[in-house]
Amino acid sequence: MIDLATPTIWFIILLLGIGTFLIRFSFIGVLGNRRLPDYVMRLLRFVPVAVMPGLVAPLIVWPQATGGEPDLPRLTAAVAALLIGAATRSLLGAIVGGMSVLYLMLYLTS
Amino acid sequence: MTSKSAFWQGFQAGLPFVLIVCPFGLLFGVVATEAGLELRETMAMTALVIAGASQFTALQLMAEQAPTFVVIGAALAVNMRMAMYSASMAPHIGGAPVWQRAIAAYFLVDQTYAASIQKYQDHPDMTLRIKMIYFFGVVTPICPLWYVFTYIGAVSGSTIPESFALDFAVPITFIALVAPALRSLPHIAAAFVSVVVALALSWIPFSLGLIVAAALAMVTGAEVEKWKERRS
């Protein structure tokens, strides 16, 4: 239960809002139209594949819903979503396919 | 591409994320209210921060009576990956007027970033104006629903039953986003390093290990790409 004075709660909310905005605005705001060195441009092209797999890997291997225990239905569903997404390049197909495999596996293993 | 078609293409690209934004927003509303936040505090946080993971981090630390600066520092650390998104968006939309860039930065969440950058990289001929319109097309089905469903969750207190396993919709969505980008050896190598290092450093609190993993993965991708270019 949160047991903080109302001004403290508002202070946290405001600073969190301002800080998050500044993180998001940082490079878009400061760099503007400036041309970056070629190697930096090369690095930046890899941001999506560098951030997102690392963001989800712990959620897949140690899912919260099982209290952090690796879980066969979730691993299978993750692999299915990856394969469908790579083969079809369809976002919706990979989401629906991955969730269907998850429900099927949860049903089979329950 | 006309402005109108760019907006609708973006809108369609953002649409699948409705599947996760709604339950996740609902959950935040419920959890924040149960933790003791008033409705206007919950809504202010959701509207000012729009970053689910860091909002949950802040809630949890506030409930654990952590010192104020720890709450703020930890919740901001969870958002540090967005500096990388910002850097990667800069070459595409950095030329826009500053007010447009500020509004776009406010809406730069995982889903709007991932959908837009994929489009920009696949279509290098898009103009600045079309890129901006596409981005706001992606934002339209995602961010308003985040506010609305946080509100519904906070007021109704009802959430989606656990048997729907929606906890896993978030990882599945990110896999679905990244899978099509794994089209060359450098991309696969970067993703692999990202996964391995993120898992190895997952003991570091507040997702800070992810920043290290992402940095190493970017260098890996760039170096493998250079090596491939030299060979061909």
Side-chain angles (χ1 to χ4, degrees):
Chain A
M1 203 57 192
I2 294 172
D3 189 24
L4 293 169
T6 306
T8 313
I9 293 177
W10 280 103
F11 179 74
I12 290 173
I13 291 171
L14 283 178
L15 247 69
L16 206 50
I18 294 168
T20 303
F21 174 77
L22 290 178
I23 292 171
R24 287 171 168 145
F25 190 60
S26 57
F27 291 96
I28 300 176
V30 173
L31 286 177
N33 224 1
R34 226 164 297 158
R35 178 113 181 89
L36 292 166
D38 285 347
Y39 191 72
V40 177
M41 291 295 289
R42 196 192 280 273
L43 286 175
L44 290 180
R45 280 205 307 276
F46 287 95
V47 168
V49 287
V51 177
M52 305 236 162
L55 188 63
V56 297
L59 302 173
I60 291 161
V61 180
W62 304 299
Q64 235 178 4
T66 61
E69 280 302 304
D71 173 57
L72 185 64
R74 286 179 171 77
L75 283 173
T76 319
V79 173
L82 184 68
L83 294 179
I84 297 169
T88 65
R89 303 204 55 164
S90 156
L91 179 71
L92 199 59
I95 295 176
V96 172
M99 288 309 280
S100 307
V101 170
L102 177 62
Y103 291 141
L104 181 70
M105 289 295 291
L106 284 173
Y107 173 75
L108 289 178
T109 54
S110 66
Chain B
M1 202 188 301
T2 64
S3 345
K4 207 172 153 189
S5 74
F7 179 86
W8 286 112
Q9 279 186 30
F11 188 89
Q12 275 179 26
L15 214 48
F17 299 110
V18 169
L19 288 175
I20 59 160
V21 165
C22 297
F24 212 38
L26 205 59
L27 185 65
F28 179 75
V30 174
V31 173
T33 307
E34 280 174 0
L37 285 194
E38 283 176 34
L39 181 60
R40 55 170 182 255
E41 293 164 347
T42 305
M43 291 314 294
M45 193 191 259
T46 253
L48 287 177
V49 184
I50 24 172
S54 84
Q55 291 173 222
F56 279 110
T57 304
L59 270 189
Q60 193 186 344
L61 289 170
M62 283 158 89
E64 287 169 9
Q65 335 279 338
T68 303
F69 71 91
V70 172
V71 176
I72 296 168
L76 287 179
V78 172
N79 288 336
M80 278 316 291
R81 68 181 182 286
M82 293 169 185
M84 291 178 170
Y85 297 167
S86 182
S88 130
M89 286 292 269
H92 296 287
I93 63 167
V98 72
W99 64 271
Q100 282 184 18
R101 276 182 278 153
I103 298 173
Y106 165 76
F107 286 118
L108 191 63
V109 301
D110 293 304
Q111 291 83 3
T112 56
Y113 165 71
S116 305
I117 201 74
Q118 193 180 16
K119 183 75 174 180
Y120 299 169
Q121 291 186 349
D122 287 351
H123 301 272
D125 55 325
M126 287 170 89
T127 62
L128 171 62
R129 200 180 118 77
I130 292 295
K131 281 177 177 171
M132 258 332 207
I133 293 171
Y134 185 87
F135 181 81
F136 286 110
V138 177
V139 166
T140 306
I142 297 175
C143 298
L145 282 175
W146 173 249
Y147 314 139
V148 170
F149 275 80
T150 304
Y151 181 82
I152 296 174
V155 174
S156 73
S158 58
T159 186
I160 311 240
E162 243 173 62
S163 59
F164 280 76
L166 282 173
D167 63 287
F168 215 58
V170 176
I172 290 285
T173 308
F174 284 111
I175 295 173
L177 269 171
V178 148
L182 300 175
R183 55 186 168 241
S184 75
L185 182 65
H187 289 88
I188 294 170
F192 179 78
V193 169
S194 171
V195 167
V196 171
V197 180
L199 289 177
L201 299 183
S202 63
W203 52 272
I204 303 177
F206 313 126
S207 316
L208 287 175
L210 175 63
I211 305 300
V212 180
L216 289 174
M218 280 158 68
V219 174
T220 305
E223 288 301 321
V224 172
E225 195 181 57
K226 267 171 73 180
W227 170 78
K228 256 185 77 183
E229 282 169 7
R230 268 199 305 271
R231 262 184 19 146
S232 59

